[in-house]
Amino acid sequence: MSMHSPIGIFDSGLGGLTVCRAIEAAFPGEDLIYVGDTARVPYGVKTAETVTRYSEEICDFLLQQGVKAIVVACNTASALALPKLKGKYSLPLLGVLEPGVEAALRSCRDGQVGVIGTEATIRSESYPQALQRRSPQIKVFSQACPLFVPLVEEGWIDHPVTRTVAEIYLGPWKNLEVDSVILGCTHYPLLKSVLQQTLGSEVVWVDSALETAKSLGDLLRNQNLLNPRDQGGSRQYYATDAPQKMQVLAQSFLGHSLGEVEVIHLN
Amino acid sequence: MSMHSPIGIFDSGLGGLTVCRAIEAAFPGEDLIYVGDTARVPYGVKTAETVTRYSEEICDFLLQQGVKAIVVACNTASALALPKLKGKYSLPLLGVLEPGVEAALRSCRDGQVGVIGTEATIRSESYPQALQRRSPQIKVFSQACPLFVPLVEEGWIDHPVTRTVAEIYLGPWKNLEVDSVILGCTHYPLLKSVLQQTLGSEVVWVDSALETAKSLGDLLRNQNLLNPRDQGGSRQYYATDAPQKMQVLAQSFLGHSLGEVEVIHLN
C-alpha cells in the first residue's frame, strides 16, 4: 500500500458513481476501483446488521485489490456500517456522512438543517446525532423519501409525478426556516432541480459527493498517500449483478459511459 | 417426504404472503413454511443468473426443512428461475406464472391479454411466450410497472400519486380491447382498486395468488401428497433480513399479523 495504490469506492448500486465522478474530477491522477452491489441493491430498506455484513464483504474484496483507502459512497452504509468498518480495518476509511455534515454546518445560517435520505438512513438518526455532536444548538428536521430512488431509476428526473412526491415529502418544511438541506442519498443530487422548485432556490442543497471528494483529499494528503500524478488515473468497475439498465443509468451518475464492468460474486 | 410434510413457499420479500394467504384459505390443514429473501429484495431489477442463484439457495434451505413441494411465490423468480429449478430438484415445484396464464386464457374474450410486472419479468417475455404456446392467436400487451412495488411499500395503496402513475403506465391500453390483465407481481393485487379506476371495471384482473393455490391443490392431489387434515396447519416464517416494516406490511399481504419471524443467512 503506497501513494501509487488505487482508491476503493463502493455503493449498494450505482448512486456512488456520483462520488466517483467528484473524486475523478478533483484527482484525475488517482486510480479508482468501484464496486456496486447491484445484486443486493438497495441497502436503504435493510437492517444495520445486513448492511454491515455486505459492506465487510466488499471491503475484503477491495483490500484484495490492494487499495490504499476506501470511500463508503453510500449514505445508508455510512450511517449504519462505517463505525464497525473503522474498528475492523486499519486503512483510511471515509464515509459520505461526515463530509455532508461539515458542509451543512458551514452553510447553515439560522441553526436549522434538513436531512433527507432512505428509510434506513433516517431511522438510524446518524445525521442528527453527527450534527448535534458538533453543534449542540442545531435543530434538525429529517424526512425519509423512499420513492426518490425508484423515481430516479425510472428516469423520471424532472417529471410531474416526482414534483408531486417532493411536494408531499417536503411541503411541510416550507414554513420552517430550513436553509440548508443535506441530500443524504447519492441518488438525490439528480433531483436537485425538482427539490429547488419545492423549497425555493435560497435553500443550500448539500451534495455529499463533492464534500466527500474534498475530505478524501485532506485525508490522503495528511497520510502522504496522495498520488503525485495529476492525470491518467485508471478506472475499474465491478458489480455483483449486471442489470441491463446499469449502463444506461451510469451515464447520468458518472457523466460519461461506464465502459467494461466485471461481475463478481461476494459470497 | 409424505402427505404430512410441510409446503415450502418463497418470495424475494413479502409479496409472496398473498400466495400464502390463498393457500392457507384453500388448505387450512397444510403446514406452511415461508421464506422471504428480504436481505436481497427486490428481484425484479436483477438478472436471471442472480435470481436463479438466490432461488436455489432458498430451495436448498426448504429441502433441509423437509418440504413436500415448493411454491415459487414470486413472479420474477417464476419467470427467470423456475425452468432451471425444475431441472435441478425432483420434488413438485410450482410457480405463479403458469396458473396466471391459464386463468387469463379462460377469462379472455377477445383474444387480447395484458400483462403487468417488474422490469425483469416483462423483459424476460415469459408471459407472452407461455400465453402464445397455449394459444398461438392471442395478442399480448406487456407493461413493466417498476414504481408499483415502491408505492405499495410506501403504503400509498389508494393515493393520487399511485393513480397518476397507473394512468401513465396503463393509459395507452384504454383504446385497446384488453379485457383480461395478469397482475404479474404479488404486490399488484393490493392496487386492484386503483387499476380498476384506470382501465374500468369490466377488465378481468387475474390474481395469480388465487390461481396458484388452485393449481397447487391439483398438483398435490395428483401425487397423493395432499394433507388429509382440514384444519390446524402450522405456519413458520423465515426472512433473510428483518426490516422493521416487515411486520407492518405483512398485515396487508397476509390478512393477519405475522407472528414470529426467524432470521436466516443463506450464504
Side-chain angles (χ1 to χ4, degrees):
Chain A
M1 187 174 104
S2 75
M3 59 176 68
H4 303 288
S5 305
I7 297 165
I9 304 164
F10 78 88
D11 179 34
S12 58
L14 302 179
L17 289 172
T18 57
V19 179
C20 238
R21 179 183 195 165
I23 294 173
E24 68 182 20
F27 309 104
E30 295 286 351
D31 296 329
L32 307 181
I33 300 180
Y34 183 86
V35 177
D37 195 4
T38 46
R40 304 184 291 197
V41 73
Y43 285 179
V45 295
K46 291 157 195 175
T47 61
E49 192 212 337
T50 294
V51 171
T52 303
R53 187 158 50 93
Y54 291 169
S55 300
E56 286 172 349
E57 288 171 9
I58 299 171
C59 286
D60 290 340
F61 171 80
L62 286 170
L63 282 168
Q64 285 162 19
Q65 314 305 308
V67 298
K68 64 184 174 189
I70 294 179
V71 178
V72 184
C74 167
N75 282 267
T76 304
S78 298
L80 272 54
L82 190 59
K84 192 135 184 244
L85 299 178
K86 281 187 173 169
K88 182 173 178 181
Y89 301 100
S90 59
L91 86 173
L93 263 159
L94 181 72
V96 288
L97 194 142
E98 299 285 333
V101 161
E102 298 289 350
L105 289 175
R106 279 198 307 274
S107 65
C108 164
R109 295 176 300 267
D110 294 327
Q112 302 206 135
V113 170
V115 180
I116 57 177
T118 63
E119 206 192 308
T121 298
I122 297 303
R123 202 174 54 225
S124 76
E125 298 195 346
S126 303
Y127 274 106
Q129 285 164 10
L131 285 158
Q132 279 157 354
R133 255 198 313 274
R134 279 169 192 70
S135 176
Q137 306 306 320
I138 205 138
K139 200 156 177 200
V140 185
F141 298 90
S142 301
Q143 176 65 47
C145 304
L147 286 167
F148 279 175
V149 169
L151 284 164
V152 169
E153 303 216 325
E154 180 65 315
W156 293 7
I157 303 290
D158 191 9
H159 189 282
V161 166
T162 310
R163 281 196 290 275
T164 306
V165 173
E167 189 64 38
I168 294 170
Y169 286 147
L170 299 181
W173 287 7
K174 279 183 188 170
N175 299 325
L176 307 169
E177 300 294 317
V178 175
D179 54 21
S180 177
V181 177
I182 299 177
L183 300 168
C185 172
T186 47
H187 279 64
Y188 296 179
L190 275 69
L191 296 177
K192 213 162 150 184
S193 115
V194 166
L195 295 170
Q196 272 171 344
Q197 288 168 46
T198 310
L199 283 193
S201 57
E202 281 167 34
V203 170
V204 177
W205 300 94
V206 178
D207 178 348
S208 307
L210 302 175
E211 303 302 328
T212 302
K214 284 184 214 161
S215 297
L216 176 67
D218 296 341
L219 184 71
L220 294 178
R221 209 170 285 117
N222 289 343
Q223 305 209 15
N224 204 24
L225 283 172
L226 209 56
N227 196 318
R229 195 171 51 179
D230 63 3
Q231 58 176 326
S234 68
R235 311 278 170 264
Q236 207 154 358
Y237 303 103
Y238 294 96
T240 52
D241 188 35
Q244 271 191 340
K245 70 174 172 183
M246 184 156 182
Q247 297 285 353
V248 182
L249 278 173
Q251 182 76 34
S252 17
F253 288 117
L254 196 58
H256 58 75
S257 81
L258 204 54
E260 205 179 329
V261 180
E262 197 171 321
V263 177
I264 48 167
H265 289 176
L266 288 176
N267 51 65
Chain B
M1 188 175 104
S2 76
M3 60 175 70
H4 303 287
S5 306
I7 297 165
I9 303 164
F10 78 88
D11 179 34
S12 57
L14 302 179
L17 290 171
T18 57
V19 179
C20 239
R21 180 183 195 164
I23 294 173
E24 68 182 21
F27 309 103
E30 294 287 349
D31 296 328
L32 307 182
I33 300 180
Y34 183 86
V35 177
D37 195 4
T38 46
R40 305 183 290 197
V41 72
Y43 286 179
V45 296
K46 291 157 196 175
T47 60
E49 192 212 339
T50 294
V51 171
T52 302
R53 187 157 50 94
Y54 291 169
S55 300
E56 286 173 349
E57 287 171 9
I58 299 172
C59 287
D60 290 341
F61 171 80
L62 286 169
L63 282 168
Q64 285 160 22
Q65 314 305 308
V67 297
K68 63 184 174 189
I70 293 179
V71 179
V72 184
C74 168
N75 282 267
T76 304
S78 297
L80 272 55
L82 189 60
K84 193 135 183 243
L85 298 178
K86 281 188 171 168
K88 183 173 178 180
Y89 302 100
S90 58
L91 86 173
L93 262 159
L94 180 72
V96 287
L97 194 142
E98 300 286 332
V101 161
E102 298 289 350
L105 289 175
R106 277 197 308 274
S107 65
C108 163
R109 294 176 299 267
D110 294 327
Q112 302 206 135
V113 170
V115 179
I116 56 177
T118 63
E119 206 192 307
T121 298
I122 296 304
R123 201 174 54 225
S124 75
E125 298 194 347
S126 303
Y127 273 107
Q129 285 164 9
L131 285 159
Q132 278 157 354
R133 254 198 313 274
R134 278 167 191 71
S135 176
Q137 305 307 320
I138 205 137
K139 200 156 178 198
V140 186
F141 298 90
S142 300
Q143 176 64 47
C145 303
L147 286 167
F148 279 174
V149 169
L151 284 164
V152 169
E153 304 216 326
E154 180 64 315
W156 292 8
I157 303 290
D158 192 9
H159 189 282
V161 166
T162 310
R163 282 196 289 274
T164 306
V165 173
E167 189 65 37
I168 293 171
Y169 285 148
L170 298 181
W173 287 7
K174 278 183 190 170
N175 300 324
L176 307 169
E177 300 294 317
V178 175
D179 54 22
S180 176
V181 178
I182 299 177
L183 300 168
C185 172
T186 47
H187 280 64
Y188 296 179
L190 275 69
L191 297 177
K192 212 163 150 185
S193 115
V194 166
L195 294 170
Q196 272 171 344
Q197 289 168 45
T198 310
L199 283 193
S201 56
E202 281 168 32
V203 170
V204 177
W205 300 93
V206 178
D207 179 347
S208 307
L210 301 176
E211 303 302 327
T212 302
K214 285 183 213 161
S215 298
L216 176 68
D218 295 340
L219 184 70
L220 294 178
R221 209 170 286 117
N222 288 343
Q223 305 209 14
N224 203 25
L225 283 173
L226 208 56
N227 196 318
R229 194 171 52 179
D230 63 3
Q231 59 177 325
S234 68
R235 311 277 170 265
Q236 206 153 357
Y237 303 103
Y238 295 95
T240 52
D241 189 36
Q244 272 192 338
K245 70 174 172 184
M246 183 155 183
Q247 297 285 352
V248 181
L249 278 173
Q251 182 76 34
S252 18
F253 288 117
L254 196 58
H256 57 76
S257 81
L258 204 55
E260 205 179 330
V261 180
E262 197 171 321
V263 177
I264 48 167
H265 289 175
L266 287 176
N267 51 66

